[in-house]
């Protein structure tokens, strides 16, 4: 969620602060101090009358953890003095230059980029210094002003009231709460200042307890909104908008986390629910006629055992010509969520489902997300399916995409799939497992499912190897799994590694997302909703290289070699998995956030469309429409591309211009995209008619949708991280372990432990 967009005036270099504990070595130990002395006396850069001599392509040499300029590089330190920079803070965290520039009006974009570039170059020249400055203007106020969580400083107010009582007794007057009495509120986030809350506008439940001198009010977790912040006051004025309950209770803490991230927890509106069919709904006959019926295929889902919203299913067939046909089948949520309906508007508002281990806040009503739209076994369901034909080398030689009717034969858990991969469950022994295996539906036997899982595993391994050979990254460390007691309170945790069964699903979902991105970006180059991942922050990447070098670890971060280099380090540290997890955490820090964007916004710079971590030129989200709104938008765009293809071919047949064999040509959805057809009058007409029918948003509207979905996805991520930290804090507190235990210190470098341990040590 965005913070205030502000303009900052940067101080001269001599006023910049020195980092605590900084002892960065340098080629010339006195160079930095002498330059600062000259700058303080106004003698730096005098010869060029304030014009910068900075070389933006500075060559730097690595010395331990610092970057020191090479000899012969000159810089006018006064160039940054008085520099005015647009800045943007997200939840108190500074964004990268590429992200913050998005908030700047286009007219000043070049000026801002130059300012940020000069400051970044100065940081490279003086690695022990950090810039200081002052806020000179607020361009846009942050929504975070309305979502501040904290506690009321009751003791201080009681002390003040005691003095008022003494005065009232002396004057023989009554004591009542005046309209100008304030009580202090202490935010739980230390980045916020204290707030002054008018007592007279406190919620009645709190005000009555204060009047009764109930000191336990200080234990109540509350939320407040900033109303005014006068430049004459060091503290903003606010009012309490919500009371969560005792801060010592997990439920109160979780509700506060949801509130400060603006997560919608209310029930679905009657208007949105009225858009859904009854729970006795069955696939209509016209859908059976208009879709490809593939209920005869052995299709199954692989999900966590507790999953209730089943978005995706898999199938595999061995063809007579030696090819293998793999199918990915995604719940056709767009059939139920029609554009511009109340359900569509509510789904867009929520944007994403929010998961918190013990609780889920769905994007769509459970009737849809867990029943009618979910690919539950044994029932007919509507789907979007993609089939790829693989040759023996693992290359795709053909593909088909379209709307289908499917029926899953079983719901496999990741544990079941892993047992099949490991050979613990096979066709001969599966009958001995009894009720421990899921129920099979239809005419299929366990031998069919087991054979399919093994075949999919082999293909996924080939796809995975190809991905990493092409430069893809995997920076995920071990995941934390919490154990809960019968009251839902965590009492222990452990680390869990991803296994081959996870990778089976991952590889084919990635391929499906890439395929969908390719189709919609070619058919609708101005209005495709895609997902990009920029290259990492180079300064932080160089710092990571220096960190590895300092610890005797050889790292190559050049394109295509990063992952292989990490794999070699992993092998070297195979007896020290905790250290490798810390290393992976450091490796992720230079990485920027992946974001949704409208293709038309970057039409003139298609090099920025790529996904750095996946090493693909195009990517989108297509495989989770039950829990992500962007996937629904992508489904509509795909449906439009498929329909445009059908309209064009129908027009060709009716005009008698069809050449032999052309009837089956997939001009928009096949591997070979027919650009000439797309640019022809007939092709444009077909694409335009299909886009209108499926309500594909215009470029401006789609840009807003992308920006909003980015904000909501970031908020859901903050919720998950905050809940994980809360669970860890409760778990560690219950175990009453020694805080300085070595294993815990090693784990503290993992993302979910950082805030938890800072709380414990305070």
């Amino acid at each position: 969620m965005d913070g205030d967009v502000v303009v900052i005036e940067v101080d001269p270099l001599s006023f910049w602060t020195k980092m605590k504990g900084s002892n960065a070595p340098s080629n010339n130990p006195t160079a930095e101090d002498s330059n600062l002395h000259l700058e303080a006396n106004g003698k730096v850069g005098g010869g060029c009358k304030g014009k910068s001599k900075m070389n933006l392509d500075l060559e730097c040499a690595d010395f331990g953890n610092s970057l020191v300029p090479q000899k012969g590089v000159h810089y006018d330190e006064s160039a940054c003095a008085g520099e005015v920079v647009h800045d943007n803070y997200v939840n108190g965290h500074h964004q990268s230059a590429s992200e913050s520039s998005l908030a700047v009006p286009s007219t000043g974009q070049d000026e801002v980029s130059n300012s940020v570039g000069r400051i970044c170059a100065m940081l490279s020249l003086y690695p022990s210094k950090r810039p200081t400055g002052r806020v000179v203007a607020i361009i846009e106020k942050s929504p975070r002003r309305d979502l501040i969580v904290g506690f009321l400083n009751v003791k201080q107010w009681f002390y003040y009231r005691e003095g008022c009582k003494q005065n009232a007794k002396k004057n023989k007057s009554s004591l009542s709460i005046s309209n100008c009495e304030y009580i202090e509120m202490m935010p739980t986030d230390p980045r916020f200042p204290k707030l002054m809350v008018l007592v007279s506008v406190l919620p009645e439940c709190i005000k009555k307890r204060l009047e009764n001198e109930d000191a336990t009010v200080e234990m109540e977790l509350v939320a407040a909104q900033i109303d005014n912040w006068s430049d004459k006051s060091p503290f903003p004025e606010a009012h309490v908008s919500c009371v969560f309950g005792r801060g010592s209770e997990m439920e109160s803490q979780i509700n506060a986390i949801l509130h400060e991230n603006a997560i919608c927890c209310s029930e679905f509106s009657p208007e949105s629910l009225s858009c859904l069919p009854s729970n006795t709904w069955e696939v209509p006959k016209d859908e059976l006629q208009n879709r490809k019926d593939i209920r005869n295929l052995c299709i199954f889902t692989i999900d966590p055992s507790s999953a209730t919203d089943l978005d995706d299913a898999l199938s595999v067939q061995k063809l007579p010509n030696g090819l293998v046909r793999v199918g990915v089948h995604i719940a056709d949520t767009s059939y139920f969520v029609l554009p511009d309906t109340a359900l569509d508007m509510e789904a867009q508002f929520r944007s994403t489902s929010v998961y918190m281990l013990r609780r889920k806040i769905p994007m769509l009503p459970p009737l849809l997300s867990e029943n009618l739209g979910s690919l539950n076994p044994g029932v007919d369901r509507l789907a979007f399916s993609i089939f790829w034909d693989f040759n023996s080398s693992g290359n795709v030689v053909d593909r088909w995409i379209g709307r289908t009717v499917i029926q899953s034969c079983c719901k496999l858990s990741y544990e079941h799939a892993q047992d099949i991969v490991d050979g613990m469950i096979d066709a001969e022994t599966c009958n001995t497992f009894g009720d421990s295996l899921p129920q099979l539906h239809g005419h299929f036997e366990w031998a069919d499912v087991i054979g399919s899982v093994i075949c999919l595993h082999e293909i996924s391994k080939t796809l995975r190897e190809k991905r990493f050979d092409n430069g893809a990254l995997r920076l995920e460390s071990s995941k934390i799994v919490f154990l809960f007691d019968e009251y839902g309170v965590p009492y222990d945790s452990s680390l869990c590694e991803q296994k081959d069964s996870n990778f089976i699903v991952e590889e084919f979902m990635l391929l499906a997302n890439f395929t969908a991105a390719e189709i919609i970006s070619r058919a609708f180059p101005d209005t495709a909703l895609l997902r990009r991942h920029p290259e990492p922050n180079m300064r932080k990447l160089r710092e990571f290289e220096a960190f590895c070098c300092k610890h005797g670890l050889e790292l190559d971060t050049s394109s295509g070699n990063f992952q292989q280099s990490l794999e070699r380090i992993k092998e070297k540290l195979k007896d020290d998995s905790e250290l490798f997890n810390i290393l992976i955490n450091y490796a992720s820090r230079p990485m920027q956030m992946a974001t949704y964007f409208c293709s038309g916004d970057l039409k003139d710079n298609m090099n920025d469309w790529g996904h750095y971590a996946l090493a693909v030129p195009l990517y989108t989200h297509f495989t989770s429409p039950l829990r992500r709104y962007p996937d629904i938008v992508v489904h509509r765009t795909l449906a439009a591309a498929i329909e445009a293809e059908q309209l064009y071919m129908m027009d060709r047949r009716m005009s008698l211009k069809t050449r032999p064999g052309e009837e089956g040509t997939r001009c928009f959805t096949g591997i070979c995209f027919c650009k000439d057809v797309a640019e022809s009058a007939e092709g444009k007409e077909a694409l335009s008619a299909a886009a209108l029918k499926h309500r594909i948003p215009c470029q401006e509207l789609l840009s807003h949708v992308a920006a909003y979905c980015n904000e909501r996805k970031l908020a859901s991520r903050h919720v998950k991280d905050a809940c994980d930290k809360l669970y860890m804090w409760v778990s560690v507190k219950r175990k009453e372990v020694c805080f300085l235990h070595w294993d815990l210190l090693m784990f503290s470098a993992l993302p979910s432990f950082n805030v938890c341990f800072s709380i414990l040590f305070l």
Side-chain angles (χ1 to χ4, degrees):
M1 198 184 312
D2 288 344
D4 286 352
V5 180
V6 301
V7 177
I8 298 175
E9 183 176 1
V10 181
D11 292 333
L13 178 62
S14 57
F15 290 93
W16 289 16
T17 58
K18 189 172 183 179
M19 294 179 66
K20 291 182 179 180
S22 175
N23 56 353
S26 170
N27 281 338
N28 184 358
T30 62
E32 186 169 326
D33 292 336
S34 61
N35 281 339
L36 286 174
H37 176 74
L38 287 171
E39 199 278 336
N41 286 279
K43 297 181 180 179
V44 176
C48 62
K49 296 183 180 179
K51 291 184 180 179
S52 174
K53 295 179 182 178
M54 178 191 65
N55 178 1
L56 287 177
D57 298 321
L58 290 173
E59 295 181 359
C60 294
D62 290 353
F63 292 88
N65 286 323
S66 64
L67 296 174
V68 184
Q70 297 277 25
K71 292 181 179 179
V73 177
H74 301 282
Y75 187 85
D76 178 2
E77 293 92 339
S78 63
C80 286
E83 195 76 71
V84 178
V85 181
H86 288 71
D87 211 347
N88 192 14
Y89 284 78
V90 176
N91 281 357
H93 296 292
H94 182 251
Q95 291 181 297
S96 66
S98 62
E99 290 174 313
S100 62
S101 64
L102 295 176
V104 183
S106 58
T107 54
Q109 201 74 275
D110 292 340
E111 180 182 348
V112 172
S113 298
N114 291 337
S115 298
V116 173
R118 285 194 287 271
I119 292 172
C120 289
M122 282 291 285
L123 289 173
S124 294
L125 281 167
Y126 301 97
S128 65
K129 306 290 290 184
R130 285 297 176 265
T132 59
R134 65 189 184 94
V135 175
V136 296
I138 297 176
I139 299 174
E140 183 180 336
K141 292 183 179 180
S142 167
R144 289 286 281 122
R145 291 168 172 258
D146 300 334
L147 304 165
I148 302 173
V149 173
F151 296 91
L152 297 172
N153 193 343
V154 173
K155 290 180 180 177
Q156 188 181 55
W157 187 76
F158 281 164
Y159 180 77
Y160 161 77
R161 291 290 290 178
E162 190 62 35
C164 293
K165 280 183 181 180
Q166 299 297 329
N167 291 333
K169 285 181 180 179
K170 290 179 181 179
N171 299 327
K172 296 181 180 180
S173 59
S174 60
L175 180 66
S176 60
I177 296 176
S178 69
N179 289 329
C180 58
E181 276 187 49
Y182 288 89
I183 189 169
E184 233 179 32
M185 178 178 157
M186 307 293 292
T188 54
D189 188 336
R191 293 169 295 189
F192 284 111
K194 296 177 184 177
L195 307 180
M196 302 307 295
V197 178
L198 201 61
V199 179
S200 60
V201 298
L202 282 169
E204 285 299 319
C205 60
I206 295 292
K207 194 162 35 171
K208 286 181 180 179
R209 289 171 65 183
L210 288 177
E211 290 173 347
N212 295 329
E213 300 184 355
D214 183 356
T216 61
V217 170
E218 69 177 3
M219 302 171 67
E220 298 291 321
L221 196 59
V222 300
Q225 298 179 14
I226 294 178
D227 298 320
N228 181 44
W229 194 346
S230 168
D231 56 2
K232 298 178 181 178
S233 172
F235 306 117
E237 296 178 16
H239 72 274
V240 172
S241 57
C242 188
V243 181
F244 301 109
R246 293 293 179 95
S248 57
E249 297 177 359
M250 280 190 61
E251 188 67 20
S252 300
Q253 290 283 350
I254 291 174
N255 288 335
I257 290 169
L258 293 171
H259 179 84
E260 63 185 348
N261 287 283
I263 303 298
C264 178
C265 303
S266 60
E267 297 294 326
F268 288 89
S269 67
E271 293 79 11
S272 64
L273 294 175
S274 68
C275 298
L276 293 174
S278 67
N279 55 8
T280 58
W281 175 89
E282 294 182 354
V283 175
K285 290 183 179 179
D286 58 340
E287 291 300 321
L288 285 171
Q289 294 171 355
N290 296 330
R291 294 169 179 258
K292 189 171 185 175
D293 188 347
I294 53 174
R295 289 176 292 178
N296 62 318
L297 293 183
C298 180
I299 298 173
F300 50 87
T301 60
I302 304 177
D303 288 282
S305 56
S306 59
T308 55
D309 45 358
L310 310 182
D311 287 291
D312 54 89
L314 295 167
S315 66
V316 62
Q317 304 163 265
K318 293 184 178 180
L319 305 180
N321 56 5
L323 301 177
V324 177
R325 178 169 294 168
V326 174
V328 163
H329 315 281
I330 308 299
D332 189 359
T333 312
S334 61
Y335 171 83
F336 298 97
V337 185
L338 299 178
D340 302 325
T341 60
L343 180 59
D344 179 50
M345 288 185 282
E346 184 145 3
Q348 183 176 341
F349 174 71
R350 294 174 182 249
S351 185
T352 180
S353 296
V354 180
Y355 295 88
M356 299 169 288
L357 292 182
R358 304 284 293 183
R359 181 180 174 187
K360 179 184 74 173
I361 301 174
M363 179 187 76
L364 295 169
L367 175 61
L368 178 56
S369 62
E370 298 180 8
N371 187 353
L372 305 182
S374 181
L375 305 183
N376 298 330
V379 289
D380 294 346
R381 287 293 179 256
L382 303 179
F384 249 112
S385 297
I386 303 180
F387 288 99
W388 302 277
D389 290 352
F390 290 93
N391 61 19
S392 57
S393 301
N395 297 319
V396 176
V397 297
D398 198 7
R399 74 180 180 212
W400 179 91
I401 181 168
R403 284 177 139 163
T404 57
V405 180
I406 72 167
Q407 184 177 126
S408 170
C409 68
C410 70
K411 175 190 174 185
L412 289 177
S413 68
Y414 282 118
E415 290 76 17
H416 290 137
Q418 189 60 45
D419 286 344
I420 292 173
V421 170
D422 293 339
M424 297 176 63
I425 300 177
D426 56 35
E428 296 179 358
T429 62
C430 62
N431 294 327
T432 63
F433 285 85
D435 295 336
S436 64
L437 292 178
Q439 181 182 354
L440 270 181
H441 298 266
H443 60 278
F444 300 102
E445 299 180 355
W446 273 110
D448 301 316
V449 177
I450 292 169
S452 295
V453 171
I454 293 173
C455 184
L456 288 170
H457 174 236
E458 292 301 319
I459 299 173
S460 70
K461 284 197 302 182
T462 302
L463 292 177
R464 189 172 178 79
E465 289 173 4
K466 285 177 175 287
R467 257 197 328 117
F468 290 137
D469 287 344
N470 290 334
L473 283 176
R474 181 171 181 258
L475 298 178
E476 291 183 4
S477 54
S478 302
K479 293 188 176 182
I480 304 167
V481 177
F482 292 95
L483 301 177
F484 295 85
D485 61 20
E486 64 272 23
Y487 303 106
V489 179
Y491 64 88
D492 203 354
S493 64
S494 61
L495 294 179
C496 178
E497 295 279 353
Q498 279 195 308
K499 297 185 177 180
D500 289 342
S501 56
N502 301 95
F503 300 142
I504 293 174
V505 178
E506 179 182 71
E507 288 306 319
F508 292 113
M509 296 306 114
L510 290 175
L511 183 58
N513 286 333
F514 171 70
T515 302
E518 188 177 71
I519 293 171
I520 65 175
S521 63
R522 289 175 174 178
F524 302 101
D526 292 332
T527 54
L529 182 60
L530 303 177
R531 189 162 176 81
R532 62 187 289 262
H533 182 219
E535 292 187 352
N537 180 301
M538 294 309 297
R539 180 178 62 84
K540 292 182 179 179
L541 197 61
R542 296 293 168 259
E543 290 176 356
F544 176 57
E545 286 181 328
F547 173 83
C548 291
C549 181
K550 181 179 179 180
H551 291 83
L553 302 172
E554 185 178 344
L555 181 71
D556 182 358
T557 60
S558 60
S559 178
N561 297 320
F562 201 167
Q563 182 64 37
Q564 286 77 4
S565 184
L566 288 173
E567 291 295 333
R568 288 192 294 269
I569 292 176
K570 184 177 182 179
E571 180 63 25
K572 186 174 182 178
L573 299 177
K574 59 184 178 182
D575 296 327
D576 195 347
S577 58
E578 290 89 354
L579 180 56
F580 183 72
N581 279 331
I582 293 174
L583 193 71
I584 290 296
N585 178 253
Y586 274 102
S588 66
R589 292 182 182 181
M591 300 300 157
Q592 301 192 58
M593 288 183 57
T595 54
Y596 299 110
F597 71 100
C598 172
S599 57
D601 293 342
L602 293 176
K603 191 174 182 180
D604 296 331
N605 199 357
M606 294 179 66
N607 291 332
D608 290 341
W609 288 22
H611 197 292
Y612 176 80
L614 296 176
V616 292
L618 292 164
Y619 194 68
T620 192
H621 275 165
F622 159 74
T623 55
S624 298
L626 293 176
R627 61 183 179 88
R628 289 189 308 227
Y629 187 76
D631 301 56
I632 296 177
V633 176
V634 170
H635 277 223
R636 292 171 183 163
T637 314
L638 274 173
I642 294 168
E643 184 150 333
E645 188 175 73
Q646 294 170 347
L647 287 172
Y648 174 79
M649 295 313 302
M650 185 183 300
D651 181 67
R652 295 282 290 178
R653 285 193 295 270
M654 291 179 65
S655 62
L656 302 177
K657 295 178 182 178
T658 307
R659 292 189 294 270
E662 193 180 41
E663 293 85 348
T665 301
R666 293 189 292 276
C667 52
F668 299 148
T669 65
I671 290 181
C672 297
F673 179 75
C674 299
K675 188 176 180 180
D676 291 341
V677 172
E679 293 178 350
S680 68
E682 299 93 334
K684 288 180 179 179
E685 185 179 350
L687 288 166
S688 178
L692 185 63
K693 177 181 176 180
H694 290 275
R695 310 275 186 86
I696 306 304
C698 66
Q699 181 177 332
E700 183 180 3
L701 180 57
L702 190 60
S703 299
H704 288 302
V705 170
Y708 181 75
C709 289
N710 287 331
E711 176 195 311
R712 291 292 83 210
K713 188 170 181 66
L714 181 61
S716 67
R717 177 182 170 183
H718 288 160
V719 169
K720 183 183 182 305
D721 289 346
C723 287
D724 284 351
K725 292 162 188 172
L726 175 64
Y727 293 146
M728 179 53 61
W729 184 86
V730 173
S731 174
V732 172
K733 186 179 179 183
R734 284 188 64 176
K735 291 180 71 173
E736 296 181 352
V737 298
C738 173
F739 296 154
L740 295 180
H741 190 275
W742 171 247
D743 287 342
L744 291 178
L745 284 177
M746 298 298 281
F747 290 159
S748 68
L750 299 175
S752 297
F753 288 75
N754 293 344
V755 171
C756 169
F757 272 75
S758 66
I759 292 173
L760 289 172
F761 285 126
L762 285 177

